[in-house]
């Protein structure tokens, strides 16, 4: 690890990063209501956020500690061999055969779920934007979906979330989590590959106000999902893309193309998460180094 990387990872480095991010966010001015909602969400907690975050984080801790087996289907055993060899997890995945890997609920939760502050930001966005039609690509075991659904529950205007997951085992665990949190009325979990489920989900929703695209982080699939979702996104709707500066350089390229699309009137990139406003007020493209919630 270089001196610079070590410094950035230290508590002092983390505080400095938060201060810089906070200053960058304050410097952004925009007349677009969705961008303004995002900037406000960075600064101000939403009603009931603390209570919901506490409940969801209790569940996350329970799941992170769980050794319950989760068998997932795979198509790329060699990549998994590398992942397993590199895993530092106390319970690394085990290759069962060329098409299945056995993981634990703890490992899946630790590796795939957005951290608490990102969950809170999703909750705040739902509170500020009050979307009726939310879509998530990539449920995993349901952590980010819980924050979205809890936001919908708090807003209480009948908004719903359809969340899509390719792994049946993960989808089942997410369904269980939503039920435990009493959020089943807000969420519809659909199992299957995005290519098979996205069209149906969009037809059911009848449009999109807020989407969180957090699965299949590669160039062409990301552009395909954008191409499917953008035309049915409401004016001022928000599309959130995770991992836009991921190790896969294709994601950075895909995000740059999304930003340049004529329907995207503004964007904010916060760390490695891209927020694109569709058919809003032209508001330019902004970057904030990382997430600093107040
Ligand atoms: C990063 S995880 C999602 C994490 C979740 N949003 C959270 O923060 O709690 C990505 C998920 O997308 C799923 N996924 C990836 N590619 C997919 C595809 N083509 N179709 C369906 N699901 C897919 C994976 O199985 C994985 O569970």
């Amino acid at each position: 690890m270089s001196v610079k990387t070590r410094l950035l990872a230290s508590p002092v480095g983390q505080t400095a990063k938060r201060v810089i991010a906070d200053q960058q966010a304050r410097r952004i001015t925009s007349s677009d209501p969705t961008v303004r909602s995002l900037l406000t969400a960075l600064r101000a907690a939403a009603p009931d956020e603390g209570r919901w975050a506490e409940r969801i984080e209790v569940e996350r801790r329970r799941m992170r500690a769980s050794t319950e087996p989760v068998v997932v289907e795979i198509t790329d055993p060699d990549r998994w061999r590398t992942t397993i060899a590199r895993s530092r997890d106390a319970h690394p995945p085990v290759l069962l055969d060329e098409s299945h890997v056995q993981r634990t609920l703890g490992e899946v939760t630790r590796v795939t779920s957005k951290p608490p502050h990102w969950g809170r930001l999703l909750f705040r966005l739902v509170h500020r934007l009050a979307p009726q039609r939310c879509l998530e690509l990539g449920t995993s075991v349901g952590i980010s979906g819980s924050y979205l659904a809890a936001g919908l529950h708090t807003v209480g205007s009948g908004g719903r979330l359809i969340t899509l997951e390719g792994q049946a085992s993960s989808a089942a665990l997410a369904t269980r989590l939503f039920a435990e949190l009493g959020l089943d009325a807000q969420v519809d979990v659909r199992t299957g590959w995005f290519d098979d489920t996205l069209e149906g989900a969009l037809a059911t929703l009848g449009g999109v106000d807020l989407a969180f695209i957090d699965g299949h982080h590669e160039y062409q699939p990301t552009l395909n999902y954008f191409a499917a979702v953008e035309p049915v996104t409401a004016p001022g709707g928000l599309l959130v893309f995770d991992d836009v500066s991921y190790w896969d350089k294709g994601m950075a390229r895909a995000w740059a193309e999304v930003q340049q699309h004529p329907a995207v009137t503004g964007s904010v990139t916060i760390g490695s998460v891209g927020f694109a406003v569709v058919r809003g007020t032209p508001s330019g493209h902004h970057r904030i180094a990382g997430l600093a919630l107040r």
Side-chain angles (χ1 to χ4, degrees):
M1 212 191 267
S2 73
V3 174
K4 187 180 165 197
T5 314
R6 267 210 303 273
L7 194 63
L8 284 174
S10 70
V12 174
Q14 291 297 313
T15 306
K17 261 170 74 176
R18 273 197 298 278
V19 170
I20 291 168
D22 194 46
Q23 283 171 352
Q24 288 172 327
R26 283 180 208 225
R27 277 201 290 269
I28 299 173
T29 54
S30 174
S31 54
D32 179 86
T34 307
V35 173
R36 289 165 75 103
S37 293
L38 170 60
L39 296 172
T40 308
L42 294 173
R43 290 195 298 268
D48 250 2
E49 174 187 325
R51 191 175 68 83
W52 273 109
E54 213 173 290
R55 287 190 65 197
I56 296 167
E57 292 309 320
V58 165
E59 294 300 325
R60 186 204 297 261
R61 280 196 292 279
R62 177 187 60 73
M63 291 159 81
R64 282 174 63 99
S66 169
T67 54
E68 182 178 342
V70 181
V71 175
V72 298
E73 289 176 32
I74 59 159
T75 51
D76 43 4
D78 286 337
R79 195 160 141 191
W80 274 97
R81 283 190 183 91
T82 310
T83 303
I84 291 166
R86 287 184 185 158
S87 174
R88 294 204 190 142
D89 202 274
H91 299 278
V94 177
L95 193 64
L96 296 178
D97 56 41
E98 295 300 284
S99 357
H100 297 92
V101 161
Q102 180 165 307
R103 306 175 72 176
T104 64
L105 173 53
E107 188 265 340
V108 175
T109 309
R110 288 190 287 273
V111 170
T112 65
S113 310
K114 286 305 280 175
H117 275 204
W118 286 105
R120 280 180 180 256
L121 180 60
L122 293 175
F123 182 97
R124 292 181 186 189
L125 283 172
V126 172
H127 165 69
R128 299 249 152 230
L129 301 171
Q132 281 296 301
R133 303 156 308 175
C134 296
L135 174 70
E136 181 178 58
L137 272 70
T139 320
S140 186
V141 291
I143 295 291
S144 55
S146 294
Y147 277 97
L148 289 166
L152 292 171
H153 186 281
T154 303
V155 170
S157 58
R160 65 189 300 214
L161 165 71
I162 296 186
T163 179
L164 311 179
E165 173 54 52
Q167 298 292 347
S169 49
S170 300
L173 288 159
T175 304
R176 188 171 85 188
L177 174 63
F178 298 137
E180 275 162 4
L181 291 167
L183 294 169
D184 8 17
Q186 281 72 38
V187 197
D188 175 357
V189 183
R190 299 203 177 172
T191 308
W193 302 113
F194 302 147
D195 284 346
D196 302 323
T197 55
L198 180 54
E199 202 182 315
L202 293 174
T204 306
L205 286 172
V208 168
D209 302 309
L210 173 66
F212 181 37
I213 299 172
D214 185 20
H216 207 166
H217 300 297
E218 290 172 24
Y219 172 74
Q220 196 54 54
T222 299
L223 290 181
N224 293 348
Y225 305 140
F226 171 73
V229 174
E230 174 276 310
V232 297
T233 300
L238 186 64
L239 307 183
V240 184
F241 293 83
D242 195 25
D243 287 332
V244 294
S245 56
Y246 201 38
W247 51 268
D248 180 340
K249 294 227 176 347
M251 279 305 287
R253 234 170 2 114
W255 176 232
E257 288 186 32
V258 166
Q259 288 175 297
Q260 280 154 27
H261 189 280
V264 172
T265 46
S267 74
V268 183
T269 310
I270 304 179
S272 61
V273 181
F275 297 79
V277 179
V278 175
R279 285 177 284 279
T281 309
S283 54
H285 302 288
H286 308 278
R287 174 173 277 282
I288 301 171
L291 181 60
L293 279 194
R294 278 199 271 152

